[in-house]
């Protein structure tokens, strides 16, 4: 067992990312002079052999009184691995689905397609948090569309859809499934198509649409040319599909991907990792550090003073910010890396 202790979650993430990159992308890390370095197997060893195991893998804390949520250790680790070695993590549960930027942009685009400028949405009785979230989705889409993403034509497609006018000159169909609209828009969202985390987020959105087709009166379809049913079909989609998304009632299902991609560091809760085995396990004592604790000088991961002496080989700092690799709490040899 090896300990790493730092003054803050951000510092810990930076040094932990450096250690992991040395193990999986570099020459390895010498833990104790005279012993071989800790290094991944040259024949296929990769970040998929390690797991970050925590009570919670949320990358941000809860927002309070309208303030921005504070980033936590999983978020800092994601950023540091990307910055130092262009390595990604696999943590589809790191944010609520409604807070994922690509999901916000995609859902906002769909909302603008079926209900331009929220003309029908504003007349509906929706829960306050749902209405606020749908507004944020639309704003996220507009900011994204303003960048003119490749391939060109997103704004034109959404505008044509909102006016129910075909860009090819054909007659507009009498009914259009919302799921088909979702897939039509995917050409502007490569992360949702190609990235493993994005694919899981996309599956959750598609599942929400598909499930609504089983109980929604218009079967998750947008009607056209059928009098009042046109409006009602839009309202049904907003109420039965996008409202639950905005309220955070739709969760991801990472079980659709049975294995963590080999080139990524998996972040899991203890419950998720039940029954799995990893050669290298990263187990933080905490995933964040409150300001009051930070000012009082408590160190991230420092064992409480009332615990018995640590097991052989554990590195324990004596009220200092860094425990150097190679220092030992006990002269007996450790069997952690043999």
């Amino acid at each position: 067992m090896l300990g790493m202790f730092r003054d803050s979650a951000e510092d810990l993430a930076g040094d932990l990312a450096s250690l992991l990159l040395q193990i999986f992308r570099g020459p390895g890390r010498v833990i104790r002079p005279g012993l071989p370095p800790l290094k991944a197997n040259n024949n296929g060893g990769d970040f998929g052999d390690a797991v970050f195991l925590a009570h919670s893998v949320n990358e941000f804390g809860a927002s309070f009184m309208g303030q921005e949520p504070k980033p936590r250790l999983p978020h800092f680790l994601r950023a540091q691995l990307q910055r130092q070695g262009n390595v990604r993590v696999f943590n589809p549960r790191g944010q609520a689905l409604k807070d994922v930027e690509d999901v916000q942009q995609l859902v906002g685009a769909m909302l603008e397609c079926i209900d331009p400028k929220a003309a029908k949405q504003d007349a509906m009785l929706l829960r306050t948090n749902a209405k606020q979230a749908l507004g944020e989705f639309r704003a996220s889409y507009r900011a994204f569309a303003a960048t003119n993403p490749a391939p060109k034509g997103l704004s034109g497609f959404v505008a044509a859809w909102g006016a129910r006018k075909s860009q090819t000159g054909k007659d507009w169909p009498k009914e259009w499934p919302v799921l088909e609209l979702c897939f039509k828009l995917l050409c502007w969202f490569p992360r949702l198509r190609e990235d493993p985390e994005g694919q899981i987020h996309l599956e959750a959105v598609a599942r929400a649409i598909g499930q609504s087709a089983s109980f929604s009166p218009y079967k998750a379809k947008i009607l056209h040319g059928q009098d009042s049913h046109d409006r009602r079909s839009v309202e049904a989609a907003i109420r039965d599909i996008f409202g639950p998304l905005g309220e955070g009632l739709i969760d991801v299902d990472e079980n659709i991907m049975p294995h963590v991609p080999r080139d990524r560091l998996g972040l899991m809760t203890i419950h998720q990792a039940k029954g799995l085995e990893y050669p290298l396990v990263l187990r933080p004592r905490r995933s964040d550090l409150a300001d009051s604790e930070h000012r009082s000088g408590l160190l991230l991961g420092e064992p409480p003073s009332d615990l018995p002496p640590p097991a052989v080989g554990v590195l324990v700092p004596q009220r200092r910010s860094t425990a150097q690799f190679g220092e030992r709490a006990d002269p007996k040899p450790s069997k952690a890396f043999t």
Side-chain angles (χ1 to χ4, degrees), residues 167-185:
Q167 293 179 296
T168 61
K170 297 180 179 179
D171 293 337
W172 194 264
K174 292 185 177 181
E175 58 182 39
W176 195 315
V178 177
L179 189 59
E180 184 178 337
L181 170 61
C182 176
F183 290 144
K184 285 278 188 181
L185 287 164

Side-chain angles (χ1 to χ4, degrees), residues 8-10 56 58-62 70-74 76 284-291 293 300-301:
S8 70
E10 191 168 7
S56 169
N58 292 337
E59 297 189 21
F60 295 90
K70 292 183 178 181
R72 306 171 78 232
L73 178 57
F76 290 129
R285 178 171 174 263
R286 297 180 63 100
S287 293
D288 55 5
L289 190 65
D291 289 341
E293 294 172 332
L300 190 70

Side-chain angles (χ1 to χ4, degrees), residues 2-23 29 31 47 52 73 76-81 83-84 265 280 282 300 321-325:
L2 185 67
M4 178 183 283
F5 304 89
R6 299 295 183 268
D7 287 330
S8 70
E10 191 168 7
D11 291 342
L12 179 60
D15 289 345
L16 181 55
S18 177
L19 171 65
L20 291 171
L21 287 167
Q22 289 178 356
I23 294 173
R29 181 67 173 264
I31 305 301
F47 276 87
F52 179 96
L73 178 57
F76 290 129
L77 184 57
R78 176 192 289 273
Q80 287 290 339
L81 282 172
R83 184 182 67 82
Q84 295 185 34
L265 174 67
L280 180 61
L282 311 173
L300 190 70
S321 61
T322 303
Q324 298 294 334
F325 289 110

